[in-house]
Amino acid sequence: MSVVDSYINLAGRDLQGYELGFQYRGPQTRLGRFSFGGDATHYLLRRSQTNPTTPVLDELERNGRVAWRATANLSWRKGAWGAGWFTSYFDSFVDTGAETTAQIYAALGGPDYIRAFNDNGVTRYLLLVRPAWQHNAWVSYRIERWAPAWLRGTTARLGVNNVLDTDPPLSSDQYGFRTGSANPRGRQFTLELARKF
């Protein structure tokens, strides 16, 4: 098999920022073992250039290119039981596809859902897409010795995605929200059965 691709990427992209992460697994106690962790990314700079002759554009805080994104998790295990919680955060940004004028912004009384934004040297009045929080949870049970032999070692796990049934923040994207930043499906339940052989 071979692939012939004449595409040449002449674009340039500069990213600067930092990432932080941690994970802690606690000691076994009479209440069980708790573990928690998290990670965060903070972009300080996000610029792109379509080709060497076009201007360099600042993309930070525009159209889903957020300054902050983060996750956190907490889990517990005791004997056959386990449970956990996972939270993700996607920072706010402006939507360059949803713009109004300075006059309309002033006539509306300067609402907080519109942001006067310096877009590469031009002041634009753009829709402010709110931060997105997502919470997922799960509980599991591992079937042990008391069960028939064919069930031993089976783990049942019940999960709930989008626990708070949160709608994604509105944007002018094709689906009405920024894909990759939030769950548009509402609260979902999952059931998983797994067995080691």
Side-chain angles (χ1 to χ4, degrees):
M1 177 180 194
S2 65
V3 175
V4 177
D5 188 0
S6 60
Y7 178 79
I8 299 173
N9 185 1
L10 298 176
R13 177 160 285 158
D14 292 324
L15 299 174
Q16 290 180 16
Y18 54 88
E19 293 183 352
L20 304 169
F22 70 95
Q23 197 70 31
Y24 174 76
R25 184 175 181 205
Q28 187 68 43
T29 70
R30 64 182 181 82
L31 297 175
R33 183 188 302 270
F34 291 88
S35 300
F36 60 90
D39 58 70
T41 302
H42 180 53
Y43 290 102
L44 302 171
L45 176 73
R46 193 169 188 140
R47 293 182 182 151
S48 69
Q49 186 178 26
T50 306
N51 63 58
T53 61
T54 59
V56 175
L57 299 177
D58 184 1
E59 297 180 326
L60 190 61
E61 297 183 330
R62 295 163 179 80
N63 302 324
R65 295 170 184 94
V66 297
W68 282 98
R69 59 191 321 162
T71 64
N73 63 79
L74 171 67
S75 63
W76 164 81
R77 186 159 302 282
K78 182 175 182 184
W81 288 95
W85 188 276
F86 178 85
T87 297
S88 63
Y89 172 77
F90 197 83
D91 204 4
S92 64
F93 58 91
V94 294
D95 184 346
T96 61
E99 184 173 6
T100 191
T101 64
Q103 293 80 9
I104 292 175
Y105 176 72
L108 292 171
D112 63 355
Y113 59 86
I114 297 174
R115 184 168 163 197
F117 191 79
N118 180 352
D119 190 9
N120 296 296
V122 177
T123 300
R124 299 174 66 189
Y125 296 85
L126 304 171
L127 173 67
L128 178 64
V129 179
R130 301 287 182 195
W133 291 88
Q134 174 89 33
H135 303 282
N136 301 335
W138 58 271
V139 62
S140 68
Y141 181 74
R142 186 179 63 250
I143 299 171
E144 295 184 327
R145 285 178 229 136
W146 56 266
W150 62 274
L151 267 180
R152 288 181 205 146
T154 300
T155 300
R157 177 176 165 135
L158 175 65
V160 184
N161 294 336
N162 197 357
V163 173
L164 303 178
D165 198 23
T166 307
D167 290 329
L170 182 67
S171 77
S172 70
D173 288 84
Q174 178 181 2
Y175 302 108
F177 66 95
R178 173 61 61 167
T179 56
S181 66
N183 181 354
R185 294 181 295 266
R187 186 181 296 118
Q188 303 159 61
F189 295 89
T190 63
L191 177 61
E192 177 185 321
L193 295 173
R195 188 174 191 275
K196 292 184 178 179
F197 294 96

